[in-house]
Amino acid sequence: MAKKKAKIGDLLIRKGIVGPDQWAEAEQMARDQNIQPHEAVVRLGYAGAEDVMRCLAQIHGCDFVDLNDVAIPPAIVELVPESVARENMVIPLAENGEALKILISDPNDFETPEKLRFILNRKIEIALATRESILEAINRNYGQIDGESADSMLQEFTDTAIDFTETEEDRVDQDESVDESSAPIVRLVQLMITEAVQLRASDIHIEPFEDRVRIRYRIDGVLVERDSPPRRLLGALLSRVKILASMDIAERRRAQDGRIKITAGDKELDLRVSVMPTSHGQTCVMRLLDKENIRIGVRQLGLSERDFKTFRGLIRRPNGIILVTGPTGSGKTTTLYAALNELNRPDRKIITAEDPVEYYLPGINQVEVRHNIGLDFAAIIRSMLRQAPNIILVGEMRDYETASMGIQASLTGHLVFSTLHTNDAPGAITRMVDMGVPAYLVAGSVIGIMAQRLVRVNCSKCRAPYTPTDGQLEAAGITPEQAASATFLKGRGCSHCGNSGFRGRLGIFELMRMTSKIREMTFGGATTHEIREAAIKEGMITLYDDGIMKVLNGVTTVEEVYRVAKRSD
């Protein structure tokens, strides 16, 4: 086994897929988390799953198959029952005389081919594919869950004689009986969550209207409509979700919040649930919190090499305030957690105050804000300073008291991370002054501000070169010299990316260091515009310019950058 591990590492380094330091980091992560080093390489983002699988196939003398380029005939799919395919995470690829070629994702799994040989009574040949692509192929060829698609599930309700129509008098008893005795509703909610996970959705929206219920998933930051079940299913759907989230199913007039712990596929997920009354009934949003998302390191955030070195230097300072700004859903929490993961060592004490705690981080003391008992940000900061921490994270500086406490903490020798809702980095300074914090305290405590947005990344499977028109280049501010050396790419749309042309997201950033010049301007009460101009003169790369750099490198498109950032005047 040790020989195999060494071989895969040597091959990845020899091919230039990872560097020796990256492989050493992956081996350390593998020991800490009890996984294979090649899995750790993928989790750290140093190599793609396909690149690693190709190397494993080369070592084990197997074929590697990219399932996005292969259509499996239905006659072949039928040779392996769906239950067997899902249980063993395999899919048949082709017949070769008496033998059946099966795709697996672990070349060291000798038990599964033997089991299939016994179940199917055939000779089994194996080839390798990534686990993710095998799961997608199973869903594509067999249907979503146990052979039932969403349409057939909804049809079950349409055909049933049960009347789900609610009246004001019998709503509570009706809902309870529907949820506890109606297996189809249970399966429908489970199906909805599982499908959202498979499509990499971050939110599920259940929205009632006059004549229907709309279900939408937010995938890579964009809402996509999936289903429109009949209006009469609304009560049953919401009751099931409320029971899972330990909410009061009889309460329909007030907003409610809850959490669900659920297993979908092979993932354990936390769902943050919010239910709110509207004119047509209650609307529900479920935020899917995947623990895998916060294992990301600072290197994988998408920072340019220069900004990466600057940010890494800032988070290693002994004291001061580092602010991350941007609208809701711009990846601020991921950035802060990446920084905390980098700093999380046994010799440092880290305490966070969050509203609410979204992800639970091992080795870090996390405190949840509870306004109903007076445990707000300021109260938590006061208490945490008595706990002698080295590093503090304050979920959001939303008022004078919180900002003032955070500044006092930084001035007494603590490194403080926090977020603000501003459009750009220089705007954070004037926002804090507007809150009532004296300008000299802002100038003396803040050491860096980073604004960020998320842009969708071109799909790696279907991206292809394209040439923007002269008008597009001029509107984007791309010079002919830049265009001549650029690699413009755009996704055409394929099954891998749901025909959107994009798969995954990456950050674009605007990192402003508090230099002596900017401190002086802050102390003097300069405007956001003046501070911004000074920061750009001192080398700050704006959000828009960072996005355009990613366009020139073929990472994303001009339209994506336009969607989240505007060109400087």
Side-chain angles (χ1 to χ4, degrees):
M1 198 68 157
K3 191 178 176 186
K4 292 286 184 195
K5 286 182 186 174
K7 273 190 177 180
I8 182 65
D10 293 343
L11 187 57
L12 288 168
I13 294 169
R14 194 164 67 244
K15 284 178 173 283
I17 295 169
V18 298
D21 291 345
Q22 292 173 327
W23 180 252
E25 186 182 344
E27 287 188 310
Q28 181 60 50
M29 180 180 177
R31 284 192 289 273
D32 293 344
Q33 299 187 11
N34 196 26
I35 58 175
Q36 295 288 341
H38 63 262
E39 293 175 29
V41 164
V42 176
R43 287 192 187 180
L44 287 166
Y46 293 146
E50 280 119 355
D51 293 331
V52 172
M53 197 58 70
R54 283 181 201 277
C55 291
L56 282 170
Q58 184 177 332
I59 287 170
H60 288 83
C62 304
D63 292 332
F64 170 79
V65 178
D66 186 343
L67 279 166
N68 291 290
D69 301 331
V70 175
I72 305 173
I76 299 294
V77 174
E78 289 171 4
L79 295 173
V80 176
E82 181 183 359
S83 57
V84 174
R86 287 192 183 278
E87 182 184 341
N88 298 284
M89 197 52 70
V90 299
I91 193 161
L93 180 69
E95 280 187 296
N96 185 10
E98 291 296 311
L100 182 63
K101 181 172 272 192
I102 298 284
L103 292 178
I104 63 173
S105 60
D106 182 1
N108 292 312
D109 181 5
F110 303 111
E111 185 181 327
T112 297
E114 284 298 321
K115 190 197 300 184
L116 293 173
R117 190 175 287 117
F118 176 76
I119 293 171
L120 304 174
N121 196 25
R122 298 188 64 155
K123 184 181 176 184
I124 300 295
E125 296 175 354
I126 65 164
L128 296 185
T130 63
R131 182 181 178 85
E132 185 184 36
S133 66
I134 290 174
L135 180 58
E136 285 181 359
I138 290 171
N139 292 332
R140 195 164 58 241
N141 289 281
Y142 290 106
Q144 293 294 320
I145 293 180
D146 297 334
E148 289 184 293
S149 67
D151 292 337
S152 67
M153 292 286 285
L154 291 173
Q155 189 64 40
E156 185 172 349
F157 285 104
T158 306
D159 294 343
T160 186
I162 300 173
D163 182 12
F164 288 102
T165 309
E166 297 176 318
T167 64
E168 203 64 47
E169 292 76 22
D170 65 9
R171 269 178 174 172
V172 177
D173 295 335
Q174 160 92 48
D175 282 346
E176 287 177 350
S177 63
V178 164
D179 183 78
E180 291 174 9
S181 64
S182 177
I185 273 289
V186 174
R187 294 207 304 278
L188 182 62
V189 172
Q190 179 69 31
L191 168 72
M192 187 169 59
I193 295 170
T194 304
E195 184 185 44
V197 171
Q198 289 163 356
L199 293 172
R200 302 172 300 105
S202 59
D203 304 278
I204 302 170
H205 295 248
I206 304 172
E207 302 162 314
F209 295 99
E210 192 172 357
D211 57 348
R212 67 184 181 117
V213 178
R214 180 171 69 178
I215 296 176
R216 295 191 290 175
Y217 301 154
R218 190 180 294 278
I219 302 169
D220 290 335
V222 178
L223 281 167
V224 178
E225 188 165 344
R226 295 298 295 175
D227 299 306
S228 278
R231 163 82 196 187
R232 60 194 177 87
L233 295 188
L234 178 63
L237 273 172
L238 289 176
S239 292
R240 175 61 184 163
V241 171
K242 283 183 177 182
I243 286 172
L244 287 171
S246 302
M247 292 180 182
D248 180 1
I249 66 168
E251 180 56 73
R252 285 176 171 75
R253 297 167 299 169
R254 292 193 183 97
Q256 293 188 76
D257 296 312
R259 288 186 90 115
I260 299 174
K261 282 189 180 293
I262 200 165
T263 301
D266 57 350
K267 286 188 174 184
E268 285 188 6
L269 295 168
D270 272 348
L271 273 69
R272 205 172 76 208
V273 184
S274 172
V275 177
M276 186 176 72
T278 69
S279 56
H280 292 296
Q282 295 173 95
T283 181
C284 173
V285 176
M286 290 182 274
R287 166 70 66 88
L288 279 69
L289 303 173
D290 185 355
K291 295 185 183 75
E292 296 291 323
N293 294 343
I294 54 144
R295 289 181 178 167
I296 192 168
V298 175
R299 172 65 80 177
Q300 287 80 54
L301 293 173
L303 288 157
S304 65
E305 192 60 33
R306 177 182 166 184
D307 282 350
F308 168 71
K309 288 177 180 174
T310 303
F311 186 66
R312 207 169 189 186
L314 288 173
I315 66 175
R316 293 182 177 186
R317 296 271 287 272
N319 63 292
I321 294 179
I322 297 172
L323 295 171
V324 180
T325 80
T328 303
S330 60
K332 299 189 297 295
T333 301
T334 302
T335 297
L336 290 172
Y337 281 178
L340 292 185
N341 282 332
E342 181 107 354
L343 299 170
N344 189 10
R345 299 284 183 272
D347 60 336
R348 295 190 183 111
K349 184 176 179 79
I350 302 173
I351 307 181
T352 74
E354 301 172 65
D355 183 19
V357 174
E358 291 192 357
Y359 300 98
Y360 297 101
L361 301 169
I364 292 175
N365 303 277
Q366 293 170 274
V367 184
E368 186 155 319
V369 169
R370 296 174 66 189
H371 295 290
N372 59 328
I373 59 169
L375 191 65
D376 55 18
F377 281 121
I380 293 170
I381 297 170
R382 269 194 293 273
S383 299
M384 69 169 60
L385 289 177
R386 301 188 195 109
Q387 298 275 321
N390 302 101
I391 297 155
I392 293 169
L393 184 146
V394 181
E396 185 185 343
M397 288 192 174
R398 57 178 63 157
D399 54 37
Y400 167 75
E401 193 177 9
T402 307
S404 178
M405 289 299 302
I407 284 173
Q408 292 302 325
S410 74
L411 293 174
T412 53
H414 303 88
L415 183 62
V416 180
F417 291 94
S418 192
T419 68
L420 272 177
H421 288 284
T422 62
N423 290 326
D424 57 10
I429 291 174
T430 49
R431 175 64 58 84
M432 290 189 79
V433 173
D434 289 345
M435 281 181 194
V437 179
Y440 70 89
L441 284 179
V442 177
S445 59
V446 176
I447 59 174
I449 304 167
M450 187 160 75
Q452 69 177 77
R453 302 288 188 278
L454 292 175
V455 292
R456 291 182 293 172
V457 174
N458 288 323
C459 174
S460 60
K461 299 295 181 186
C462 64
R463 65 189 178 192
Y466 84 105
T467 306
T469 65
D470 291 340
Q472 288 174 322
L473 292 173
E474 188 179 346
I478 298 172
T479 65
E481 292 77 20
Q482 287 176 314
S485 59
T487 307
F488 293 108
L489 297 175
K490 185 178 270 190
R492 293 189 302 264
C494 64
S495 60
H496 187 61
C497 61
N499 293 314
S500 67
F502 300 100
R503 187 179 171 95
R505 289 188 292 174
L506 202 63
I508 59 172
F509 300 92
E510 180 176 285
L511 179 56
M512 185 179 83
R513 285 190 309 115
M514 289 291 283
T515 61
S516 56
K517 170 73 174 171
I518 293 172
R519 286 187 200 283
E520 189 180 316
M521 293 179 73
T522 302
F523 186 71
T527 66
T528 299
H529 184 69
E530 289 168 342
I531 294 172
R532 183 178 184 78
E533 284 189 335
I536 291 171
K537 280 180 185 173
E538 294 198 333
M540 181 183 80
I541 298 168
T542 66
L543 277 168
Y544 181 82
D545 290 339
D546 191 42
I548 292 299
M549 283 166 58
K550 288 178 170 62
V551 171
L552 297 174
N553 291 326
V555 175
T556 188
T557 64
V558 174
E559 292 79 11
E560 268 300 291
V561 178
Y562 281 157
R563 188 172 64 85
V564 298
K566 65 175 184 177
R567 189 176 171 186
S568 303
D569 298 329

